[in-house]
Amino acid sequence: MVWFMWDGKRRFKTKQYLIWFKLLIKRLLRQPAYLGLIVLIPILGYAVSVMEQSEPGGVVAAVCVEEGAWSEQITDGLRKQEKDSVLSYAFCDDEEEAQQYVMRGEADCGFVIPSDIEELVSDGDWRKSITVYETSGSSITGMAKERIGGVIFQLYSEQCYENYMGQISKEIVDFAKSAYESHLVDESTFGFRYISSDRYSQYNSDTDDINDTVVFPIKGVFAVMIFIGGMCGMLEYDRDKREKRFLRMAPNVLTFTVNVWVSTLLISVAVLVCLWISDGISSCGGRISIGAILSAWNVGMWLSQIGRLIVYQCIIVIYCGILGILFRKQEAIAAAIPILSLGSLVCAPVFIRLAAYLPVFAVLEKLFPVTYYLMM
């Protein structure tokens, strides 16, 4: 008899929670601002996809490699770096052309690499020999220096290796040089790159870090929209708390969690569908094909995307909980929503990773939940 009574109470409590859940969804769907947020998702997705298909942006560094022993190798090395990077190079015929690029604002900085760079590297005085031009607001000069230096030192390491091995017999030298080119210079010995079927992943290597490329802004923009939805849920909770609407049904912690989670849930469903459609359209070269869209994701891909969104929803709930402690008033929360949304677009690697230019952004990007979704 006691068991039946307890089971009846449990069923009654479950029914209450289901009714509560439905009421929260209905209340959200009746709000024009929230509906507008959902409608914005496909519109923004289309706008960002158009931006991705247009001519890629980025920053330019003008480079003049004077004719010499390493000129061709340096040029080829820098061209390889341009792939999947926001930093591109404008190769100039002479120093004056590189200087004009910077003066006209067509390049953020300029470099002139002398013809005898091979000898200067061996003497250890190569840095002072490279002429650098930069604008007053240049922010990528440091990164460009590192990349140019990386190409030069790769050539220098090859030369040192060849000189060292030259002391041994010719057969061993030929074998060692072939092995060096096959297993060290091509980055196959110490460099690892994981290929994923998920085109929305921003992982670049085994370092578990986001690269400095403009990968897929659609995912970042959608992540910001979900974040905004979660913060809107905080406003709903504050109203329910003041009116003591669900006080008898659940404690404040559970009420807060459900309000924020439900607000992210509906937007996440819209995001999931838009990502699926976008992937299908991309797979058939930008043309709309029902068959391509339906077959764009397999079961594993669906589960992977849903799992990432669920984890991201949990991150937002925790993040909003911290914000709720910091901003106790509804007015403060409402004022923080546009600031945090803009901060997510700027600091998090949505369109570009600013941490590649200014190290301080490597810390700032960790302060926004959008970054963690882009790392999944």
Side-chain angles (χ1 to χ4, degrees):
M1 184 66 178
V2 175
W3 183 85
F4 283 109
M5 291 177 62
W6 179 81
D7 188 60
K9 289 181 179 179
R10 186 178 61 176
R11 290 182 180 179
F12 176 74
K13 200 71 173 179
T14 303
K15 188 176 180 180
Q16 275 189 319
Y17 285 146
L18 290 175
I19 294 173
W20 178 30
F21 182 74
K22 291 178 182 179
L23 288 175
L24 291 177
I25 292 180
K26 288 182 178 180
R27 184 174 66 179
L28 287 173
L29 293 178
R30 289 175 182 172
Q31 295 182 8
Y34 191 82
L35 287 176
L37 199 62
I38 296 177
V39 172
L40 271 178
I41 290 175
I43 297 175
L44 288 175
Y46 175 76
V48 175
S49 64
V50 170
M51 291 173 55
E52 285 184 312
Q53 295 171 6
S54 61
E55 183 178 356
V59 288
V60 178
V63 179
C64 170
V65 185
E66 295 180 349
E67 192 66 30
W70 285 357
S71 58
E72 185 176 348
Q73 293 95 318
I74 293 175
T75 302
D76 291 341
L78 294 177
R79 289 189 188 280
K80 290 179 182 178
Q81 287 184 357
E82 288 183 308
K83 185 179 180 182
D84 296 332
S85 177
V86 295
L87 177 61
S88 59
Y89 301 97
F91 294 96
C92 307
D93 296 329
D94 51 43
E95 181 176 353
E96 183 179 356
E97 185 180 356
Q99 185 179 6
Q100 290 298 322
Y101 259 95
V102 178
M103 291 179 64
R104 293 194 301 265
E106 297 177 7
D108 199 66
C109 55
F111 300 88
V112 180
I113 303 174
S115 57
D116 58 344
I117 187 67
E118 177 185 3
E119 300 174 4
L120 294 170
V121 170
S122 301
D123 295 338
D125 195 30
W126 67 279
R127 287 185 178 272
K128 296 180 180 179
S129 63
I130 297 181
T131 305
V132 181
Y133 298 99
E134 60 180 333
T135 59
S136 58
S138 176
S139 59
I140 58 117
T141 305
M143 184 179 70
K145 283 181 180 179
E146 290 180 1
R147 297 198 169 190
I148 292 174
V151 173
I152 292 174
F153 269 101
Q154 179 175 313
L155 296 172
Y156 177 62
S157 66
E158 292 179 29
Q159 184 187 49
C160 291
Y161 185 79
E162 186 175 353
N163 293 339
Y164 173 77
M165 296 302 296
Q167 303 172 10
I168 315 175
S169 64
K170 185 178 184 303
E171 292 77 11
I172 297 178
V173 171
D174 293 339
F175 173 79
K177 187 176 181 180
S178 175
Y180 182 90
E181 293 175 351
S182 300
H183 302 295
L184 187 60
V185 177
D186 65 353
E187 300 178 355
S188 65
T189 302
F190 299 107
F192 299 90
R193 186 179 297 273
Y194 299 103
I195 306 299
S196 172
S197 59
D198 179 10
R199 78 182 190 94
Y200 295 104
S201 176
Q202 288 191 268
Y203 272 142
N204 188 47
S205 66
D206 60 331
T207 58
D208 286 351
D209 197 7
I210 301 175
N211 58 25
D212 68 330
T213 62
V214 183
V215 187
F216 294 105
I218 290 180
K219 183 179 178 182
V221 171
F222 285 166
V224 174
M225 300 296 287
I226 298 174
F227 180 38
I228 294 174
M231 290 188 290
C232 290
M234 294 177 62
L235 297 177
E236 296 298 325
Y237 163 76
D238 188 77
R239 186 181 297 113
D240 292 341
K241 182 180 178 180
R242 284 189 288 105
E243 298 177 359
K244 299 181 180 180
R245 190 169 297 170
F246 302 111
L247 185 61
R248 294 183 178 180
M249 181 176 295
N252 285 331
V253 174
L254 182 58
T255 305
F256 176 86
T257 302
V258 173
N259 269 286
V260 175
W261 177 70
V262 170
S263 299
T264 63
L265 178 63
L266 298 179
I267 299 178
S268 297
V269 172
V271 165
L272 186 67
V273 174
C274 287
L275 288 176
W276 171 50
I277 295 174
S278 175
D279 218 1
I281 294 175
S282 298
S283 64
C284 57
R287 294 173 297 178
I288 298 178
S289 171
I290 302 300
I293 293 175
L294 293 176
S295 60
W297 289 356
N298 54 26
V299 176
M301 191 64 176
W302 275 103
L303 293 176
S304 176
Q305 293 292 346
I306 293 173
R308 292 172 186 176
L309 286 171
I310 292 175
V311 173
Y312 182 49
Q313 290 168 7
C314 295
I315 293 174
I316 291 178
V317 170
I318 297 173
Y319 190 89
C320 288
I322 298 173
L323 291 180
I325 297 174
L326 298 176
F327 306 108
R328 296 183 178 276
K329 295 184 178 181
Q330 185 180 18
E331 294 76 10
I333 296 173
I337 290 177
I339 297 174
L340 293 173
S341 302
L342 182 60
S344 298
L345 289 171
V346 174
C347 298
V350 176
F351 295 100
I352 184 174
R353 193 185 184 199
L354 293 176
Y357 311 118
L358 297 174
V360 67
F361 282 98
V363 178
L364 293 178
E365 68 182 14
K366 299 297 191 300
L367 301 179
F368 299 92
V370 176
T371 301
Y372 301 99
Y373 179 58
L374 295 177
M375 293 173 64
M376 298 182 194

